[in-house]
């Protein structure tokens, strides 16, 4: 299987430069001085998540006549918004399949970008998306299972390597695995002494079990949907799993309470609005689940329902 290369990622960076924000590294003054922490705030992207990188790269690489037919995507929210945003920029139609239990804030944002949202039963989004491709003639843009998407996500790793070349630890969420595949590829190429760690919720730890087993292990939709981190309920594909095996030095898990605490810490101490899925990297840092060293934690998104955000913050300020 051919893996994405650093050259693929560099080419993607050129394509997405006009649209994706080059997010800064923010030092966390509240962190342990012996374990310096920098935050990569992808929640500051135009659609509130890193997914804009992969979506724009995938659409940019399509031949214009093919792209003009429109695009189809399936997503629990952030990829949906990214594809809708990119489709609007190109002036093409977008049909987005979203599970019925997707947070309303993500559904409404996707519609606001001009996409036609098709809600489906939980666990049926891929089937419905395939039907829409057949019906509309549009091109399927998967959320992670595509080299162009992986390369686009990897551009965040290019930025980390440029802004903090002495980085020792890079930690990020893992769900379908596109983000970790791309960033891991970039970091291993440009900062070969750095270690790369993925993070999953304990309630959706299929990737950790898969890496331990040496092959993909499937968890039921019902099991994965137990976590508050709605953006981390997917499972790696054959393509992303191959990347994860190649680039990850470890994969750790965090509890639901640890995820909530990280959301609170990021809100109160770094003044960032972060969704649970985006906070797991900081949760792993706070837990001490990753080795000591100069660390970059990728905060992958900030599209959280206001009611959930209020409920999490109502538990009080972090210690």
């Amino acid at each position: 299987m051919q893996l994405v290369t650093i050259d693929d990622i560099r080419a993607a960076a050129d394509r997405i430069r006009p649209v994706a924000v080059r997010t800064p590294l923010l030092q966390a003054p509240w962190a342990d001085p012996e374990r310096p922490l920098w935050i990569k705030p992808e929640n500051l992207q135009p659609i509130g998540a890193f997914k804009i990188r992969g979506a724009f790269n995938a659409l940019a690489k399509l031949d214009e006549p093919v792209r003009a037919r429109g695009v189809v995507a399936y997503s629990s929210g952030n990829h949906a918004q990214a594809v809708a945003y990119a489709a609007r920029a190109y002036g093409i139609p977008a049909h987005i399949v979203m599970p019925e239990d997707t947070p309303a804030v993500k559904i409404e944002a996707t519609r606001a970008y001009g996409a036609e949202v098709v809600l489906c039963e939980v666990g049926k989004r891929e089937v419905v998306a395939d039907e829409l491709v057949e019906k509309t003639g549009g091109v399927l843009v998967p959320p992670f299972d595509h080299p162009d998407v992986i390369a686009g996500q990897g551009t965040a790793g290019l930025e980390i390597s440029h802004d903090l070349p002495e980085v020792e630890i890079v930690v990020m969420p893992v769900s379908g695995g596109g983000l970790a595949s791309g960033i891991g590829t970039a970091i291993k190429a440009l900062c070969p002494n750095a270690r790369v760690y993925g993070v999953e919720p304990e309630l959706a730890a299929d990737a950790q079990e898969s890496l331990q087993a040496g092959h993909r292990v499937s968890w039921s939709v019902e099991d994965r949907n137990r976590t508050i981190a709605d953006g981390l309920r997917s499972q790696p594909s054959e393509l992303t799993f191959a990347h994860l095996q190649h680039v990850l030095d470890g994969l750790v898990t965090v509890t639901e309470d640890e995820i909530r605490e990280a959301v609170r810490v990021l809100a109160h101490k770094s003044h960032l609005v972060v969704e649970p899925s985006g906070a797991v990297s900081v949760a792993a840092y706070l837990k001490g689940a990753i080795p000591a060293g100069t660390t970059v934690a990728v905060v992958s998104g900030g599209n959280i329902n206001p009611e959930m955000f209020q409920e999490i913050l109502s538990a009080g300020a972090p210690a």
Side-chain angles (χ1 to χ4, degrees):
M1 179 181 298
Q2 187 170 352
L3 302 184
V4 168
T5 69
I6 189 62
D7 289 338
D8 297 326
I9 296 171
R10 286 182 169 131
D14 290 336
R15 293 187 197 98
I16 72 170
R17 188 167 289 113
V19 292
V21 172
R22 192 190 189 290
T23 54
L25 288 183
L26 306 176
Q27 189 165 17
W30 45 266
D32 181 349
E34 297 184 1
R35 300 167 59 226
L37 176 66
W38 300 79
I39 294 166
K40 179 73 168 168
E42 287 293 290
N43 57 313
L44 301 182
Q45 292 291 351
I47 58 101
F50 74 95
K51 292 283 191 177
I52 194 172
R53 297 175 181 267
F56 255 100
N57 189 51
L59 266 67
K61 281 203 70 178
L62 294 173
D63 292 335
E64 189 168 347
V66 175
R67 187 169 56 225
R69 301 203 306 261
V71 291
V72 175
Y74 56 86
S75 167
S76 62
N78 288 334
H79 179 65
Q81 294 174 72
V83 172
Y85 187 95
R88 185 177 71 175
Y90 279 108
I92 60 174
H95 292 78
I96 312 293
V97 180
M98 307 181 78
E100 293 171 336
D101 63 349
T102 300
V105 65
K106 296 183 178 182
I107 295 173
E108 292 163 5
T110 303
R111 285 179 172 147
Y113 294 130
E116 181 174 331
V117 173
V118 179
L119 298 178
C120 70
E121 293 179 31
V122 174
K124 301 291 185 182
R125 61 186 194 173
E126 291 91 341
V127 173
V128 175
D130 288 342
E131 292 171 352
L132 279 171
V133 168
E134 186 71 22
K135 177 182 177 181
T136 66
V139 178
L140 181 66
V141 182
F144 49 85
D145 188 26
H146 196 287
D148 295 338
V149 173
I150 293 172
Q153 319 305 25
T155 59
L158 284 183
E159 296 168 10
I160 292 170
S161 69
H162 180 273
D163 292 347
L164 195 68
E166 67 272 24
V167 64
E168 297 174 283
I169 306 288
V170 179
V171 56
M172 72 217 78
V174 171
S175 180
L179 180 66
S181 296
I183 291 181
T185 297
I187 294 299
K188 289 298 182 181
L190 301 174
C191 303
N193 294 325
R195 286 171 288 176
V196 178
Y197 286 83
V199 188
E200 285 183 305
E202 282 187 1
L203 297 182
D206 51 281
Q208 184 191 61
E209 184 175 344
S210 297
L211 289 169
Q212 291 171 347
H215 59 83
R216 288 189 297 154
V217 176
S218 182
W219 284 33
S220 70
V221 172
E222 292 75 20
D223 281 347
R224 287 180 277 124
N225 281 7
R226 294 173 299 165
T227 179
I228 191 175
D230 61 274
L232 302 182
R233 294 170 178 169
S234 295
Q235 300 186 112
S237 65
E238 182 180 352
L239 177 63
T240 55
F241 185 65
H243 281 82
L244 297 181
Q245 288 181 303
H246 186 64
V247 303
L248 286 187
D249 293 288
L251 199 156
V252 302
T253 63
V254 289
T255 68
E256 300 297 287
D257 285 344
E258 288 164 347
I259 295 171
R260 288 182 168 90
E261 177 66 8
V263 171
R264 285 191 288 271
V265 167
L266 287 162
H268 285 282
K269 296 185 177 183
S270 287
H271 316 294
L272 294 172
V273 176
V274 178
E275 63 188 278
S277 303
V280 296
S281 54
V282 172
Y285 172 89
L286 294 170
K287 183 180 184 176
I290 52 176
T294 301
T295 300
V296 170
V298 179
V299 168
S300 57
N303 294 315
I304 183 171
N305 266 337
E307 296 80 11
M308 177 183 288
F309 193 50
Q310 182 178 19
E311 179 268 322
I312 291 174
L313 295 186
S314 68

